[in-house]
Amino acid sequence: MADAQITLSSRTYSSWSLRGWLLCRLAGLTVQEQMVALDDPDNRAELLLLSPSVLVPRLTHEGASVWDTLAIAEYLHELYPDAGMYPADRVARARCRSVSGEIHSGFINLRSALPMNLKVRHDRFPIFPGARPDIERVETIWAECLGDYGGPWLFGASPTVADAMFAPVVQRFLTYSVAVSPMSAAYCETINEWPLMREWIDAARQEPDEMIELETEF
């Protein structure tokens, strides 16, 4: 029996759902997945970047209800401090929290210009110039972390909260064939071949293709 329940939006389109699910799996928490209906107004608002408060994913565990991906990360780390969700070193742990918070709260131009879609690949997608600084900042974060901690993950030999937070960005870069440095490309490959990421993508491919209006809105 699952220890907890996590409410998810679309696996194909929702970066927040992916993050929350990856965090639960990083913690080793067994979760029952509850999908929000595709025609749910709040769900569509979240996917269209119109919701002022993203309430999906939501983790329900032993009487606690936790939403917002960073809140979920901290909750799980508190419960499972030995799961390795954050680096053991204090300085690295602070940096992991900082870059995770940065991608969580910013990069609006990147999100709107390159919406997550795990079922398509664009070889020549016109990228809005306003998204370029966001892309450059992402690459700077990756280069600094990979350079300082040796890779293949952002903080060394094992995935952390930061990798879960940046996983949807990797998928955006792959979907729209964003040109990146060799170091960034290698990191994208690490994330894309992550068994947890492959499991999520395989599940996304089973979802119905009935969101034409959503793609039009983007």
Side-chain angles (χ1 to χ4, degrees):
M1 181 178 296
D3 298 328
Q5 181 182 86
I6 186 166
T7 302
L8 302 172
S9 182
S10 167
R11 289 186 176 90
T12 303
Y13 300 99
S14 176
S15 59
W16 299 112
S17 292
L18 170 58
R19 290 179 174 119
W21 183 85
L22 286 173
L23 291 169
C24 289
R25 296 296 297 272
L26 275 177
L29 181 66
T30 301
V31 290
Q32 177 186 5
E33 299 171 18
Q34 177 67 44
M35 301 302 296
V36 179
L38 291 178
D39 59 356
D40 180 89
D42 291 334
N43 181 25
R44 294 187 65 78
E46 180 250 322
L47 292 174
L48 291 169
L49 308 178
L50 299 176
S51 175
S53 179
V54 178
L55 301 181
V56 176
R58 178 189 294 270
L59 174 64
T60 304
H61 177 256
E62 296 184 350
S65 182
V66 192
W67 60 97
D68 185 276
T69 50
L70 285 185
I72 291 172
E74 292 300 327
Y75 176 79
L76 292 171
H77 176 62
E78 181 180 334
L79 287 179
Y80 307 104
D82 297 326
M85 296 184 68
Y86 286 103
D89 176 74
R90 176 183 60 84
V91 174
R93 190 164 60 251
R95 190 169 179 182
C96 182
R97 283 191 166 103
S98 295
V99 300
S100 297
E102 185 174 350
I103 194 61
H104 173 273
S105 60
F107 300 88
I108 300 301
N109 286 337
L110 171 60
R111 293 177 187 177
S112 59
L114 306 175
M116 188 166 117
N117 188 334
L118 297 181
K119 291 187 178 180
V120 299
R121 284 290 186 270
H122 298 283
D123 293 331
R124 297 181 180 179
F125 188 83
I127 298 176
F128 170 56
R132 291 292 180 183
D134 284 356
I135 293 171
E136 292 171 3
R137 176 56 187 158
V138 166
E139 284 212 82
T140 296
I141 292 171
W142 291 356
E144 290 176 348
C145 289
L146 293 168
D148 289 347
Y149 299 103
W153 307 92
L154 291 178
F155 287 89
S158 302
T160 64
V161 168
D163 299 291
M165 295 301 294
F166 278 96
V169 179
V170 165
Q171 294 305 319
R172 286 176 161 96
F173 284 6
L174 295 175
T175 292
Y176 301 101
S177 301
V178 176
V180 295
S181 70
M183 179 180 286
S184 292
Y187 177 65
C188 287
E189 181 71 10
T190 294
I191 291 290
N192 198 46
E193 293 304 317
W194 189 6
L196 294 182
M197 190 73 247
R198 300 316 306 173
E199 182 179 341
W200 180 271
I201 291 172
D202 289 344
R205 288 172 177 165
Q206 305 305 313
E207 288 185 332
D209 296 318
E210 297 180 354
M211 300 193 75
I212 297 175
E213 179 184 346
L214 175 65
E215 294 191 77
T216 301
E217 290 287 344
F218 272 121

